[in-house]
Amino acid sequence: MADPVAGPGVSFRRDLSEWRVALVAWRLLVLQAADPVVGAGMAEHSTYQAHPWRRVEHTLGSGRRLFYQDGEALRREVARLDRAHKRIRGTAPDGRAYDAEDAATRAWVLLTLFECVVAMRRLGGDPYDAGQLEAAYREFTGSVAAFGLPEGELPASAAELPAYFARAARERLEFTEATRYLLEDMLRGAPRPRRLWFLGDAGWRVLRVVVARAITALTVADLPPAVRERFGLVRTRRAALLSWLLHRGVGAVVPRLPDRLRYRSPEQGGAPARWRPPRQGRRRDARGSRVDRFFREVLDQTGDGFLTVHDLRAMAHNVCWQLELDEAAEARVYQAFDGWWEQLRAAMDANGDGKVSREEFVAATVAGCDRDPAYLEQGLLPALRAVFAAADTDGSGFLEADEYRAVFGGPRVHPAELSHGFRQLDVDGDGRITVEEFLHGFTEFFTARADSTPGTQLLGRA
């Protein structure tokens, strides 16, 4: 397939790849969360509360995968999304059943991605004309045809989109708890992005108050009028001015940049944070603090302070998303993480409510490692074996640096931090990690009393 950001003419793919799409990213999440099925799924299955930046990146990243791929790669991405959506179903707190495979919901999610790119152009002062809009929509529908949506779920032409969105606002959308949280609470409690490490926690707490107010005001100002009316949201003059200044300012600058600065490549993530070497701890027994950090930064995917089966499945989803696994390999990863959850539930869920608190997890893990040297073998290590097997894409029995990077890397992880983690696991220094080294490193993370022990800095900076 030709480079989507090269060549003349209108291209939806090219516009989706512009950096200024970040200005409508929060708007996109709010519109998607307003669908009651999406809102219910986010409440129970999503990691958006604990990992908001990753949630945005995955949403936009999946869009790039869909629209920048050749036919075979597009088919794999659609199959991956199909498998993920099969797991997102249940009953909402109000008693309504929800299922992410609902055709109308899938159409809404896809169309909001297209609509946000259209809004980005319009708000930036360079809107599509009627012909360009239809051309972009044909390009869009040509890719999403791979989802096999029933005939009639997508409007036949771009000219029908305004009526579609107005009807959805009147008849389908709701001010869900996920929508409310995105607009009112999420950014006020969002964790510090790793690239802003230099601010420190105190600096980030001050800055995020300003960021939260600005993004909330911008999002409300930019929502379609029918959606604002439906939710009783008011577009103030100050918010309208902020929207005009940001979109017009960025819209004037970004198109004049060279392509290497104007566009994200399909694989490109955000710039990594500057890396600092991890500090060596001198605590008598540092296991509790490490296990606590593992719970907060790795396990508690939903950010509610408790561990449930949905957190473990979200971890499995993130591993599978990074590696683009086939169905059989993906099933093995999910099965291993489900087994780990069963071990945790049996050992730590004393009242049988399907939740494990942070305090319960830390105390039980430290006590379990003290009581039984094989404690980790009952749950964590089988899950890690499945991750290792999935990451070993060439079947060599080793993790090379690029395979390790595919699992543990990401847009917010500095290459030096990845290299440090790799060296922690590569005990014999031969430039590759065996399954024994992989499991040994994680075992030391949970069992070593001193932070100076190799294997205890797998999460990077202390």
Side-chain angles (χ1 to χ4, degrees), residues 223-242:
L223 286 173
V227 175
R228 285 201 304 270
E229 181 180 354
R230 167 77 166 170
F231 296 157
L233 299 173
V234 178
R235 185 178 193 253
T236 65
R237 290 183 179 180
R238 182 178 296 181
L241 177 61
L242 174 67

Side-chain angles (χ1 to χ4, degrees), residues 65-83:
R65 284 181 175 184
L66 289 173
F67 297 104
Y68 289 93
Q69 310 270 25
D70 58 27
E72 176 59 24
L74 173 62
R75 184 196 65 77
R76 289 199 305 270
E77 175 63 8
V78 171
R80 184 191 68 81
L81 289 171
D82 284 343
R83 294 193 297 272

Side-chain angles (χ1 to χ4, degrees), residues 378-455:
Q378 299 168 20
L380 173 63
L381 297 189
L384 290 173
R385 286 193 185 93
V387 171
F388 184 96
D392 180 21
T393 52
D394 61 3
S396 66
F398 301 93
L399 287 191
E400 313 290 347
D402 58 339
E403 293 172 326
Y404 176 84
R405 191 177 301 114
V407 179
F408 295 99
R412 305 294 181 258
V413 183
H414 196 283
E417 192 166 40
L418 276 177
S419 298
H420 180 78
F422 186 88
R423 289 194 299 270
Q424 285 272 299
L425 293 172
D426 181 19
V427 176
D428 60 9
D430 65 351
R432 57 186 187 177
I433 299 170
T434 65
V435 65
E436 290 80 12
E437 289 173 328
F438 189 72
L439 299 179
H440 178 71
F442 278 92
T443 298
E444 287 193 331
F445 180 89
F446 284 98
T447 59
R449 294 180 181 273
D451 279 340
S452 57
T453 304

Side-chain angles (χ1 to χ4, degrees), residues 292-326:
D292 180 88
R293 186 181 177 201
F294 186 77
F295 183 97
R296 290 182 288 104
E297 298 186 11
V298 179
L299 291 181
D300 186 14
Q301 295 282 306
T302 53
D304 61 357
F306 292 92
L307 184 62
T308 72
V309 65
H310 300 301
D311 292 291
L312 273 294
R313 288 176 180 171
M315 288 179 63
H317 170 78
N318 195 47
V319 170
C320 296
W321 193 91
Q322 294 280 77
L323 295 172
E324 299 187 55
L325 302 178
D326 61 28

